Each structure stands twice: as structure tokens, then as C-alpha cells.
Amino acid sequence: MAKVYFHVDLDAFFASVEQKEHPEYKGKPVIIGGIPGDRRAVVSTASYEARKYGVHSAMPLVQAVKLCPNGIFIRGNYHHYAEVSQQIMNIFHKYSPEVLQMSIDEAFIDMSGTERLFGPFEKTAMKLKQEVFEKTGLTVSVGISSSMYVAKIASGYRKPDGLTFIPEGDEEKFMLSLPLEKLWGAGTKTQERLKKCGLKTIQSIYEKSLNYLIAIFGENTGTFLYESVRGNKAMNFYREVKNHSISAETTFEFDLTDKDAIESALMELSLSVIMRMHKEKVRTRTVAVKIRYEDFTTFTVQETSEFPVANADDFFERCKRLFYKKYQDARGIRLLGVSADNVEKKDVPVQKELFDFGNEKKSKVEEAIFNFENKHPELKIRKARLIKKSK
DNA sequence: TCTGGGGTCCTAGGACCC
DNA sequence: TCTGGGGTCCTAGGACCC
């Protein structure tokens, strides 16, 4: 049975939400990510008006301000964007029970076999676009293909408010018509390597044998290149649910050198991760710390213990130990990060520590705090150290 | 221009075991 | 005394994505 996938992409999502909610921003360059004066912010989303000035995602904010001094700069309300996103995902679910959300602003919809119910796919996609617009005032771009990979690329073919249908059998023709930059999954590094090998177009990759590509780029990337330029790249709709990771990191406005400030930052990051772990009802045995120095060199340290992290104190102590294992004294710290890797559901039984020095009790107290904060988000309970710090 | 924050997946090497 | 082959788990770094 033939498969048909929609890939739906919300156009300049965060900026569009702001423009819709502030009509005075309509038709104006809106830039999400920071406000002038933020030293180390980057652009998260630029409205189409802002893109005309050369502003784009991931660009340092300082540069965006130079290119577009009269732009409307907004730090962004990600919590709110997530709510709007959810509203739109709910609309997708009316078209098919199989919706695979890829991020806050895009999703695949498995539309296989819905033709009898809804009619031709292009018409259905038009209807979906219409419905999203009526309910949220936002536009989306849709790609349709029997290949998820091709659908993903097709949704970016005409933007914003686009609709691109690649009939079955035309995948290869479509891929070959694209510039190399559109090859999703081959980033800056791979693009550079390709160009060094004289492979400057998708067509030129297409002309190489699988063996050649593997010899140059390795098994994985080689096979990826060979399959993707043919539109054969398989992506799995039903991905197995694996243990994931929960992390938090901060880039400081000014480099950190003070031990107290560093430890407070580690504490804050630890709390943020541990609270999210409580929320998800998961635990971890693997803790990692990330340090980025002023010159952007970055190190990570990670440790897997026999026993899961017992509570926030335990988590913080592990982070601190890892930090000092890597820390090069006297270097300014630009970024600190902590993460809980490979988290697993708490309901899976685990070996208990032989001597449980009140860890269980601490953990219970934390959960109580977490539940309290959940009910009263306006009242934040912080560790003494942080309260002292913020005075 | 001077490079966010949240993730996933891959690679290569080492330890350890059978 | 020189040295296999496979598997699993762990660590550090890196590519990539939105």
C-alpha cells in the first residue's frame, strides 16, 4: 500500500505569533531572540520582512541590530509559543491519528489511505492550511510525498504559505532539481567536504557510486548521501521510544571567574534539571557537565554511577565534582551546562544503596516542593544559596 | 558578525568479559 | 610468549537539527 506523508512547517513561527497578537507589528521586521544590548544573544526567528535585511536564524543579535536597526526586537515567550504549537498540532490530529511532531514548529502527518475519506491530497492540504489560518491566523507550508524525507524538503520548497506535491515516481527528479544547500542532513561540515571533492551539486553526487561515497565519507554519511539524492532516504515514522536526556545550559553575559558565582550557576542549572526530572518522573545514573571558555573551546565531562541520582543535593555534588575535574583555573567561563543523560522511568525497579543516609527523605521533600511550585507557580522556593545570591 | 539552548545520533577508543 | 574475535558499557567530541 502506497504511503503518503504531509510535512507541515509553521512559517517564521515565533515572529508570526507576535505579529498576529500585535497587529501593529504586521508588515514590519520582527526579530525574536533578544533585544538590542543583549551581548550574546542570537536570532531565533526572523519575520519575512526582517529576512529582506539579511537577518536570519542563528545570526548573532548584534549583527541583526546592525543590519536592521529599526527592527522590532523581542526576547520571546517560549512557553506561549509552545501553547500555540499544541493548538496547531491538535488540528493536525483531526486529519490523521498518526502525527509525528518533530519540533515546536513542524510535524509529519501520515495521510496514507485517507484519500477515500478526504479526497485528493492536495485539496486536503489546502483545507488543512485554511483551517490552521482560520483558527490561529498563522500560515504553514506543506510538502507531500510518499517519502518522509522528500516531504520534509518539499515543505521548504515554496515558503511561506506554500504547498508542494511530489507525485510518486518524481522524487528523484525533484531532488536533482535542488541546489546542494537544500540537502537536509548535510550541514556545513559535510557541505564543505563535498565541495572540496568537487561535488558542488546534487547531480554530481548522484553520478558517484555508493562505493565511492562510502570510501570518502564513511559508511554512514556515504550511504546517506547516496540514498538522499535519489529521494530514497528512509525515515522511520514509528521511532522507538528511547531513554532521552534532560539538560540546561547558560551563556553568561560576562565571563565567570568567581568560584562562588560559578557554583551558584551550577546549583541553579542542577535545580532546573532535577525539577524537570521530577516532572517527568524519571531518574538517571549518568550526569554530565559542559564548560565553554571565553575563547569558545568547549569540554564535557560525564560520569555514570552504579546508583541513580538520589536528590538535588546529590545531583549538584556530582556536577560540582565533575566541574572541578575539568576546570582550568583562571580561565573565564562563557557557558556552563549540566545534563542528565539516558534518563529512565522511575517505575523501573533499581538497586538500592546499602546505606541510604536519608536520601529517600530528601527526595520526598523535593517532590513536595515540586508539587507545591506546580500549584503555585508564582511562589518559587529556592535553595538558600540562590536566595542569598539574588539579594 | 563572533557564535543560544534544547536535543539526537554517530564515532572512536578503552575497559572488561567470554 | 604473542595475541583472536565478538559483545557491552562507558567517555569525549563532533555533526546536525530547529
Side-chain angles (χ1 to χ4, degrees), chain A residues 75-266:
Chain A
R75 287 218 175 99
N77 180 352
Y78 297 87
H79 181 75
H80 176 58
Y81 305 149
E83 284 175 357
V84 178
S85 167
Q86 190 52 56
Q87 195 190 341
I88 295 171
M89 296 297 156
N90 290 343
I91 296 174
F92 297 169
H93 276 281
K94 291 166 63 180
Y95 288 78
S96 162
E98 310 299 347
V99 175
L100 181 63
Q101 186 171 353
M102 296 302 286
S103 71
I104 197 165
D105 69 350
E106 59 175 291
F108 288 99
I109 311 174
D110 186 344
M111 295 295 288
S112 312
T114 64
E115 227 173 344
R116 203 175 287 175
L117 189 62
F118 292 127
F121 293 113
E122 281 180 274
K123 228 183 89 201
T124 309
M126 289 298 291
K127 211 178 114 208
L128 182 147
K129 282 160 62 68
Q130 181 77 24
E131 185 173 352
V132 171
F133 187 75
E134 278 167 8
K135 293 196 170 143
T136 67
L138 301 174
T139 66
V140 301
S141 295
V142 183
I144 310 174
S145 170
S146 60
S147 146
M148 289 172 73
Y149 182 82
V150 173
K152 159 80 191 169
I153 294 187
S155 73
Y157 190 69
R158 271 184 284 265
K159 260 184 152 293
D161 204 12
L163 172 55
T164 305
F165 175 50
I166 310 300
E168 201 168 4
D170 283 3
E171 296 87 357
E172 185 173 294
K173 197 172 78 187
F174 173 63
M175 290 305 299
L176 291 176
S177 76
L178 300 170
L180 183 57
E181 294 69 41
K182 293 274 181 189
L183 198 64
W184 185 72
T188 344
K189 300 286 172 180
T190 304
Q191 299 264 348
E192 261 172 44
R193 285 180 69 196
L194 283 164
K195 282 175 188 151
K196 264 191 199 139
C197 295
L199 303 174
K200 294 181 176 132
T201 60
I202 288 186
Q203 177 71 39
S204 62
I205 298 172
Y206 180 82
E207 285 161 9
K208 296 294 177 192
S209 70
L210 177 60
N211 282 343
Y212 173 88
L213 292 169
I214 287 178
I216 306 264
F217 295 95
E219 184 75 38
N220 222 278
T221 306
T223 309
F224 161 75
L225 290 170
Y226 185 85
E227 297 296 346
S228 60
V229 298
R230 286 167 174 73
N232 289 342
K233 168 88 183 93
M235 284 167 69
N236 199 351
F237 200 90
Y238 301 96
R239 290 178 302 183
E240 49 183 326
V241 224
K242 286 225 299 238
N243 291 346
H244 62 132
S245 60
I246 298 177
S247 68
E249 61 181 57
T250 326
T251 294
F252 306 106
E253 202 73 353
F254 295 93
D255 300 327
L256 249 50
T257 46
D258 176 62
K259 288 258 165 69
D260 238 42
I262 290 169
E263 288 188 18
S264 292
L266 279 178

Side-chain angles (χ1 to χ4, degrees), chain A residues 256-279:
Chain A
L256 249 50
T257 46
D258 176 62
K259 288 258 165 69
D260 238 42
I262 290 169
E263 288 188 18
S264 292
L266 279 178
M267 167 79 85
E268 185 129 30
L269 292 165
S270 301
L271 280 178
S272 141
V273 169
I274 213 92
M275 284 306 168
R276 278 159 63 204
M277 287 173 68
H278 277 308
K279 202 171 183 174

Side-chain angles (χ1 to χ4, degrees), chain A residues 318-368:
Chain A
R318 292 191 201 201
C319 290
K320 212 163 69 172
R321 219 168 34 72
L322 289 173
F323 171 80
Y324 283 113
K325 222 168 123 183
K326 265 281 157 126
Y327 179 47
Q328 297 161 353
D329 229 330
R331 290 187 79 180
I333 294 176
R334 177 193 174 93
L335 169 148
L336 280 176
V338 308
S339 76
D341 290 330
N342 206 15
V343 301
E344 55 172 18
K345 276 283 173 199
K346 262 186 189 161
D347 46 34
V348 188
V350 73
Q351 200 185 345
K352 281 239 170 164
E353 259 181 285
L354 218 46
F355 300 102
D356 187 343
F357 293 112
N359 276 338
E360 187 123 13
K361 211 158 123 200
K362 277 189 194 165
S363 188
K364 288 265 150 52
V365 170
E366 269 167 39
E367 276 195 61

